[in-house]
Amino acid sequence: MTPETIFYSVAFPLLGVFLGLVYKGIDRRISARLTSRIGPPIRQPFWDVGKLLLKETIVPKNAIAWLFNAMPILAFASSLTLLLYIPFGVLKAPLEGYGDLVVILYLLTLQSLAMAIGGFASGSPFSSVGAQREMVLMMSYEMPLATVIVGFALIYRSFSLTTIASTPVWSIVSPLAAFGVLLLFVALLTVTPAELAKLPFDIAEAETEIAEGMLAEYSGRNLALFYLSDAVRGFAMAAIEVVLFFPFTLSSILGLSLTGFALYAVEALWFLLKVLIIYLLAVTLVRTSFGRFKIDQASRIFWVHVNLVALLGLALIWVGV
Amino acid sequence: MGKLDNFKRSLWVFHASGGSCNACDIEIVAALTPRYDVERFGIKLVGSPRHADVLLVTGAIPRDFADKLRRVYEQMPEPKAVVVVGNCGTSGGVFYDSYNIAGPIDEIIPVDVYVPGCPPRPEAIIDAVVKAWLKVEKLEKKLEGKEE
Ligand code: SF4
């Protein structure tokens, strides 16, 4: 651990929280525009968090208090840790070399798991139903998600995100395998709303049927932590997709030869733009256009359709590489 | 923690429907539509009283529902405000002498803002929620004062 690493490990999470909230704001604004509303200002999520921090934090009488209070912290911490594994444009990931795609898979799972455990611990029937749904959903989408990661391991013979980001996947595979990669991309895009608990897969947090499900009993500071981890996770998930599928740097596309600060600034903005596009495609557009699925429908979609697409993609890569 | 502005800009509303005829509820939903769009003021309907700053109650409250309403009110974290929407809730409305009504809502839980009308217009509901802001802010100041 050099001082540089430590600086990054502090700066990245702060930046990640900020960006996560900004992206959430943009998401809400664009979603409103899509339904011909004006929508909240982009700073709205910051005010929401500020307000939640001012509210009373209630621990229900029949909740398991320590578990109930620990889970929002776990979710928030794991989402911040997630950020440390993502190479940011041309910057290296701060924890480069300490973990890879498999760790990312586990950190993503850990967050959903923390929410589910928090739901069970809050002792409310609504939360329990929500937590059970979340577990079922997790079991459904983990398989396609793992398939995508195995596909990348097959191509690169490495799980490291920095290795993957350094050479765009499309440039090293045969046309057949490229088609496989495309299928993996489709599978990952479908998994994204489920992973982030957004419509049409926000079955575990359905506010109309089960009173916000797992979050039903959370208030004040605990809810703010979940809110933040949700925002960070949205940003991180889109960033992972960019790193996996669109790692092209702007200077390589336009043939620029930038150096020093200009390079970092331009590439960072370019990276953020790519993340924004993926975010809008995978989350905003989808959540505005669809209604909520039932849990059995969602389960079938992932186990049958998305899984088929992902496995076919994997097979093509296996044959093609 | 002097960030009272946050309440001015982000207010989450929980809607509890008692024995309402559903017209008041529809008017509340109307406030979310493109024509009125309360989300641009940061007002959002939430699904759990634990997340709410303001409780909207509609309808005359049947005897059976009175203690449930009390519990919903108690589950909301401080600071909180209550808005009653519609004549039924404010006075009993057309059901004022019904044998099955637990009385106007302010006999069950403390009410801060009344919105008369049968049903009231969405503008009136938005106005009431904005008035509830002031109350929430005042409460928050009081809470802060206690801590000092
Ligand atoms: S006030 Fe009128 S519109 Fe509202 S619930 Fe009562 S009867 Fe229905």
Side-chain angles (χ1 to χ4, degrees):
Chain A
M1 280 254 180
T2 56
E4 208 180 331
T5 324
I6 294 170
F7 168 72
Y8 281 141
S9 336
V10 177
F12 260 54
L14 284 180
L15 194 66
V17 170
F18 174 76
L19 287 174
L21 288 177
V22 170
Y23 276 51
K24 212 180 165 90
I26 299 177
D27 160 67
R28 278 176 71 175
R29 183 86 176 180
I30 296 209
S31 165
R33 284 292 157 95
L34 286 173
T35 50
S36 70
R37 289 184 291 122
I38 294 174
I42 291 180
R43 284 176 295 169
Q44 186 64 45
F46 292 91
W47 292 329
D48 283 351
V49 172
K51 183 213 55 189
L52 283 175
L53 290 175
L54 283 177
K55 294 279 285 185
E56 185 189 4
T57 305
I58 298 178
V59 180
K61 209 163 68 187
N62 52 352
I64 307 167
W66 67 270
L67 210 55
F68 182 82
N69 284 323
M71 284 310 132
I73 300 175
L74 181 63
F76 187 52
S78 61
S79 68
L80 289 187
T81 319
L82 191 57
L83 284 173
L84 298 179
Y85 288 103
I86 301 171
F88 215 91
V90 283
L91 281 182
K92 275 202 161 111
L95 286 185
E96 153 73 17
Y98 294 97
D100 44 28
L101 268 180
V102 180
V103 177
I104 288 178
L105 180 69
Y106 273 101
L107 283 171
L108 282 171
T109 315
L110 192 61
Q111 272 174 46
S112 313
L113 207 61
M115 285 181 90
I117 294 174
F120 280 127
S122 43
S124 141
F126 290 123
S127 305
S128 300
V129 172
Q132 276 157 6
R133 291 184 183 186
E134 176 72 16
M135 302 297 274
V136 172
L137 197 60
M138 257 166 73
M139 281 186 257
S140 320
Y141 69 67
E142 280 311 318
M143 173 81 179
L145 197 59
T147 314
V148 172
I149 288 176
V150 171
F152 271 88
L154 262 181
I155 297 173
Y156 285 95
R157 310 261 158 226
S158 153
F159 279 119
S160 157
L161 258 188
T162 312
T163 318
I164 294 174
S166 57
T167 26
V169 59
W170 312 99
S171 64
I172 57 165
V173 290
S174 64
L176 191 63
F179 187 63
V181 174
L182 194 66
L183 289 181
L184 289 189
F185 181 52
V186 172
L188 193 58
L189 275 190
T190 327
V191 170
T192 311
E195 181 68 61
L196 303 176
K198 292 277 170 355
L199 273 169
F201 300 114
D202 68 336
I203 311 156
E205 288 165 31
E207 67 275 9
T208 34
E209 329 152 28
I210 49 170
E212 314 258 353
M214 301 177 287
L215 299 179
E217 294 294 333
Y218 279 99
S219 59
R221 194 194 59 233
N222 284 338
L223 187 60
L225 282 176
F226 272 135
Y227 192 100
L228 283 174
S229 70
D230 173 63
V232 173
R233 186 159 60 149
F235 174 73
M237 190 74 190
I240 292 170
E241 273 153 38
V242 167
V243 171
L244 289 182
F245 293 98
F246 306 103
F248 313 103
T249 53
L250 192 64
S251 30
S252 71
I253 296 176
L254 300 179
L256 299 174
S257 52
L258 293 168
T259 46
F261 180 72
L263 173 75
Y264 285 112
V266 168
E267 289 304 339
L269 287 179
W270 170 243
F271 180 75
L272 290 181
L273 182 71
K274 284 189 291 185
V275 174
L276 183 64
I277 292 170
I278 294 285
Y279 194 92
L280 293 181
L281 266 182
V283 178
T284 313
L285 212 59
V286 175
R287 100 184 161 91
T288 317
S289 348
F290 288 93
R292 188 176 300 119
F293 283 118
K294 287 193 289 185
I295 184 68
D296 57 323
Q297 290 170 326
S299 217
R300 191 168 325 116
I301 287 172
F302 283 117
W303 270 115
V304 181
H305 304 108
V306 182
N307 234 343
L308 268 183
V309 171
L311 287 176
L312 187 66
L314 187 65
L316 286 181
I317 289 175
W318 192 50
V319 175
V321 162
Chain B
M1 296 252 279
K3 286 266 165 215
L4 293 174
D5 272 3
N6 288 311
F7 278 101
K8 227 180 270 167
R9 293 176 175 144
S10 152
L11 206 68
W12 293 359
V13 176
F14 180 73
H15 169 208
S17 172
S20 123
C21 78
N22 218 5
C24 279
D25 312 55
I26 297 285
E27 294 304 316
I28 291 173
V29 178
L32 304 175
T33 55
R35 190 179 176 95
Y36 298 101
D37 186 30
V38 288
E39 206 194 355
R40 69 200 146 115
F41 306 125
I43 303 176
K44 195 172 98 171
L45 268 191
V46 290
S48 159
R50 292 266 195 238
H51 303 182
D53 309 305
V54 170
L55 177 63
L56 280 187
V57 196
T58 53
I61 302 303
R63 288 187 197 290
D64 270 356
F65 190 67
D67 54 328
K68 275 107 191 160
L69 183 64
R70 224 168 274 132
R71 276 183 63 189
V72 166
Y73 175 75
E74 280 157 8
Q75 278 174 356
M76 287 170 61
E78 294 284 356
K80 58 191 168 187
V82 179
V83 177
V84 167
V85 175
N87 281 348
C88 284
T90 32
S91 63
V94 283
F95 307 109
Y96 75 100
D97 57 353
S98 166
Y99 64 94
N100 198 25
I101 294 300
I105 291 170
D106 52 9
E107 287 176 12
I108 304 165
I109 52 174
V111 174
D112 302 295
V113 187
Y114 300 88
V115 192
C118 184
R121 292 188 60 84
E123 291 99 327
I125 299 173
I126 298 173
D127 183 48
V129 172
V130 172
K131 293 219 167 81
W133 261 329
L134 302 175
K135 145 94 195 261
V136 170
E137 262 175 48
K138 232 180 275 163
L139 268 180
E140 180 61 27
K141 272 204 191 105
K142 221 191 279 166
L143 284 183
E144 274 176 14
K146 251 181 228 157
E147 277 167 10
E148 276 161 17

